[in-house]
Each structure stands twice: as structure tokens, then as C-alpha cells.
Amino acid sequence: MNQVTVKKEKNNYQIEEAYKSLRANLQFCGDDKKVIAITSCTPNEGKSSVSLQLAISLAESGKNVLFIDADLRKSVLLGSTKAGQQTVKGLTHYLTGQSELQDVVYSTNIPKLYLIYSGPLPPNPAELLGGKNFRSFLKAVRKVYDYVIIDTPPLGNVIDSAVIAEECDGAILVIESGVISYRFAQEVKAQLEKSNCPILGVVLNKVDMQKQAYGKYGKNYGKYYGDYARKQEK
């Protein structure tokens, strides 16, 4: 199995705790929620970063995790990883019968974390993701991994996410704070609900903590925890 290097973000204390909270909330949803689709309303809301960091957090807790880049139209995963080989095979290669499953699954420098790239842009992304090959693919990987985290395209732009969610155990919606209107978010939520996939929750992303009432407390608490950890190390 080929290996790639995942560039883990250097997050501050508050962000690290937020991902741990997200991980815990997902685990509290039950063991039957294994295959999770993550989407957003529009591009650039941080959906892909949230998806990957959640997958990393789950792997660090000891779970076997497969991260799938199913944004076949605009993948950003290659920018967050470093592949050793020049030619990277992905989900498109497998769904079109050009590669076997073992050829598109990559191990990473993070123990228990595996990933699948999106592959080249196909002429029919929605049809490919809604086909029998994709359904069979998910049935196969859910038997191997504890969690399958799927980064999907923004639902406010294309229907791909709803097509993927139809085969998933749950969905998470990432919304950028102060950018997405309530009405637009409700429209995307309604579209996601049509897939009959349970919406597990919403991640409010890119929140300016300095403007929040609890921002000062969180900052001070993080400083206290960091000081305590340093003393323990000494």
C-alpha cells in the first residue's frame, strides 16, 4: 500500500478542543453512524479542512478511519498531503473500473488513518456517485473501517452531496459564521433532508472568538492549561 504524508494543522488550544468535542459528539451518535458525509452551502467555508481534521482526530483516538475525497469537481486534498509518486490514483479511477480498490487506498503518516483521493474530473460526477459501483464501494469499506469520513461538494452548488448522503449513515453541515444567511442554510438543509440521511449536526466554522462573550474566558483557560502542562513537563 502506498503511503502519503498528511500535513496536520497547527491549531491552538481552543481549536484542538473543538475538534475533540466534534469527535465526541459524533461518537455519541452511536456505533451505527459509521459512514459520514460532510458538506457545506458554498465553497471556501472550510468544509474540507473540518473533514480532514475530524478524520485525524478520530484516528488519534484509536479508530481505523478512511477519509474519502468525494469532491470530484474541485478537490483540495492534494494540497493538504504529500504523495511520494507522481501519478495518484483516486475514487474516479476505481468507480470507472480503471483501478482496484487496493490501488486507490493510501496509508498515511498518521497511524490508523487512510485516504482516497478524488482522482481526475469525470464528465458525469453525479451519475458516477449515484451508481451501483459507489454503493458497492461503501458497503465494502464500512466492513473494514470504524469510520468513513466523506468530504463532499458544497450542496448549495451541485447535487452530488445529496446523492452521496443517500448512502451514508449521517451528514454534517459546515457553515461559515457571518457569511451564510439563515434562509440559504435552511434551503440547503431541506435539500439534504430529501436524501433521507439523518443530519447529525452543524459545524459553525471560522468564528471570531474575540467577538464572542466567552472568547476571553476560553483564551484565559487555554493559557492556564498550557501553563499547567509546561509545569508538569518540568
Side-chain angles (χ1 to χ4, degrees):
M1 182 181 293
N2 296 318
Q3 186 178 55
V4 298
T5 301
V6 175
K7 304 172 186 175
K8 186 180 177 182
E9 295 179 2
K10 295 182 179 180
N11 298 318
N12 61 30
Y13 171 79
Q14 287 174 295
I15 296 177
E16 288 288 349
E17 286 301 301
Y19 280 119
K20 288 180 182 178
S21 177
L22 178 60
R23 178 185 73 196
N25 288 333
L26 175 58
Q27 292 173 327
F28 282 139
C29 289
D31 294 337
D32 59 329
K33 299 295 186 292
K34 295 182 62 174
V35 182
I36 311 298
I38 301 183
T39 187
S40 61
C41 297
T42 62
N44 303 317
E45 292 187 74
K47 163 188 63 65
S48 296
S49 294
V50 170
S51 302
L52 182 56
Q53 293 303 311
L54 172 60
I56 291 173
S57 183
L58 285 165
E60 289 178 339
S61 71
K63 303 296 183 180
N64 280 313
V65 183
L66 176 64
F67 177 82
I68 303 173
D69 182 2
D71 193 343
L72 304 185
R73 301 173 191 264
K74 188 181 179 182
S75 171
V76 298
L77 183 58
L78 278 173
S80 303
T81 60
K82 183 178 180 181
Q85 60 275 31
Q86 293 181 346
T87 303
V88 175
K89 295 184 178 181
L91 184 60
T92 303
H93 291 100
Y94 174 75
L95 296 180
T96 55
Q98 300 178 56
S99 299
E100 298 296 327
L101 182 57
Q102 62 267 23
D103 296 327
V104 300
V105 178
Y106 292 79
S107 63
T108 73
N109 57 308
I110 298 175
K112 295 184 177 293
L113 176 65
Y114 303 84
L115 60 84
I116 295 179
Y117 290 97
S118 64
L121 172 64
N124 55 342
E127 290 78 5
L128 203 59
L129 294 168
K132 62 179 182 179
N133 286 350
F134 185 72
R135 291 193 294 272
S136 300
F137 161 71
L138 288 185
K139 287 180 180 179
V141 297
R142 72 162 59 242
K143 296 176 182 179
V144 179
Y145 301 95
D146 298 317
Y147 284 98
V148 178
I149 305 299
I150 308 177
D151 179 25
T152 72
L155 189 52
N157 286 25
V158 292
I159 198 64
D160 300 17
S161 294
V163 173
I164 295 171
E166 194 171 354
E167 304 299 328
C168 296
D169 303 324
I172 296 174
L173 182 62
V174 177
I175 295 180
E176 182 176 353
S177 176
V179 173
I180 304 301
S181 69
Y182 176 81
R183 181 177 178 180
F184 188 26
Q186 288 295 314
E187 291 174 355
V188 172
K189 173 177 173 289
Q191 185 66 51
L192 190 56
E193 287 174 336
K194 292 178 182 178
S195 67
N196 294 319
C197 177
I199 300 177
L200 304 181
V202 175
V203 174
L204 188 62
N205 199 29
K206 300 184 181 181
V207 177
D208 186 351
M209 298 301 294
Q210 299 300 325
K211 294 182 179 180
Q212 304 301 318
Y214 50 84
K216 184 176 180 181
Y217 168 79
K219 183 177 179 181
N220 290 338
Y221 182 79
K223 182 178 183 300
Y224 164 78
Y225 184 87
D227 291 342
Y228 176 79
R230 284 189 290 271
K231 290 179 181 178
Q232 292 295 98
E233 289 176 358
K234 291 180 181 179

